Amino acid sequence: MSFFENTRKPDGIGGKIMVSVMNMGHKAMADWGFQFLEIPEEGNVLDCGCGGGANIERILREHPQTVVKGIDYSEVSVEKSQKVNQKEIDKGRCQILQASVMELPFTDEQFDLVTAFETIYFWPDLPKSFQEVYRVIKAGGTFFICNECNGDTDKDDKWMEKIPGMTIYKDSQIESVLLHAGFHDVKINKNDKGWISITAKK
């Protein structure tokens, strides 16, 4: 497996290095994205594709009454995320599971907010995945997506060549799939770095 392939599903020693790199490397993008996001106080949040757990740690730290769960299909990512958030896991405020977004291990309408930072590129069936996210969000809840690549620049094609199984979507494509899944009130933000954040309501 190449170094860049570990961005898709971190594995082995290279994967352990990658999740640590991602926790640091994605911080600026996450900081930018969080300004468009309302974290529900005393609510339930799910972070899909939680990677190294940095965004979960931030939500738990800044919102002490909020309960956060995370899923990732990489065993390495789950281990790292659990380690980063072990203190709150021990308190019962956090749970990190190895699972696929295609089959979320949660009951219907469980979460006030579902987040997906730098991950939907790798979801194998975007319509089905968005339908699963829709299923577990409460009525009136929010789905939040934040990506470093918005599909509008030449560099995006180069990333897809480097990383097998990666698809970088344009905002119009994401919006169309969200609406088809049942979401509404889709709001899109971009910056001059090519970053994009999208919120959608159930």
Side-chain angles (χ1 to χ4, degrees):
M1 178 183 289
S2 73
F3 179 73
F4 287 115
E5 284 183 83
N6 269 303
T7 60
R8 178 171 56 85
K9 189 177 184 181
D11 186 49
I13 298 299
K16 290 181 180 181
I17 295 170
M18 179 58 76
V19 292
S20 294
V21 168
M22 289 191 294
N23 272 357
M24 295 182 290
H26 293 161
K27 184 179 184 301
M29 179 209 67
D31 287 346
W32 173 80
F34 268 106
Q35 70 180 303
F36 306 110
L37 184 57
E38 281 191 37
I39 307 296
E41 302 295 344
E42 301 185 17
N44 291 296
V45 175
L46 170 65
D47 187 29
C48 288
C50 61
N55 293 318
I56 290 176
E57 188 277 331
R58 174 175 178 162
I59 295 170
L60 289 166
R61 173 169 39 85
E62 294 183 356
H63 304 273
Q65 303 304 315
T66 299
V67 175
V68 186
K69 291 181 169 61
I71 64 109
D72 203 291
Y73 73 164
S74 162
E75 182 178 354
V76 168
S77 294
V78 170
E79 288 176 356
K80 176 65 173 180
S81 191
Q82 288 175 336
K83 184 177 180 179
V84 168
N85 294 289
Q86 191 61 57
K87 184 178 178 180
E88 298 305 322
I89 290 172
D90 292 342
K91 291 180 181 178
R93 285 187 62 215
C94 181
Q95 183 181 29
I96 314 290
L97 302 172
Q98 185 174 3
S100 169
V101 71
M102 297 275 284
E103 296 181 43
L104 294 172
F106 305 111
T107 57
D108 295 355
E109 300 192 344
Q110 186 172 342
F111 299 99
D112 302 282
L113 169 67
V114 174
T115 61
F117 287 88
E118 196 70 355
T119 180
I120 68 166
Y121 316 119
F122 309 116
W123 293 6
D125 184 332
L126 205 63
K128 183 175 180 181
S129 298
F130 281 12
Q131 288 166 8
E132 263 294 271
V133 171
Y134 184 88
R135 178 183 67 78
V136 301
I137 294 179
K138 298 176 183 178
T142 301
F143 181 26
F144 177 78
I145 298 165
C146 193
N147 291 340
E148 282 190 354
C149 302
N150 62 25
D152 292 338
T153 68
D154 293 339
K155 69 178 181 180
D156 296 337
D157 292 331
K158 293 177 182 177
W159 278 116
M160 286 189 284
E161 290 172 6
K162 286 181 180 179
I163 306 173
M166 181 181 194
T167 303
I168 297 174
Y169 301 96
K170 292 181 179 292
D171 56 353
S172 59
Q173 294 174 301
I174 299 172
E175 181 176 23
S176 177
V177 180
L178 285 168
L179 293 172
H180 189 263
F183 290 99
H184 63 92
D185 195 19
V186 177
K187 295 181 180 178
I188 299 168
N189 294 284
K190 296 181 183 181
N191 70 3
D192 56 8
K193 295 182 180 180
W195 300 347
I196 181 171
S197 75
I198 300 176
T199 56
K201 290 288 187 179
K202 178 173 177 180

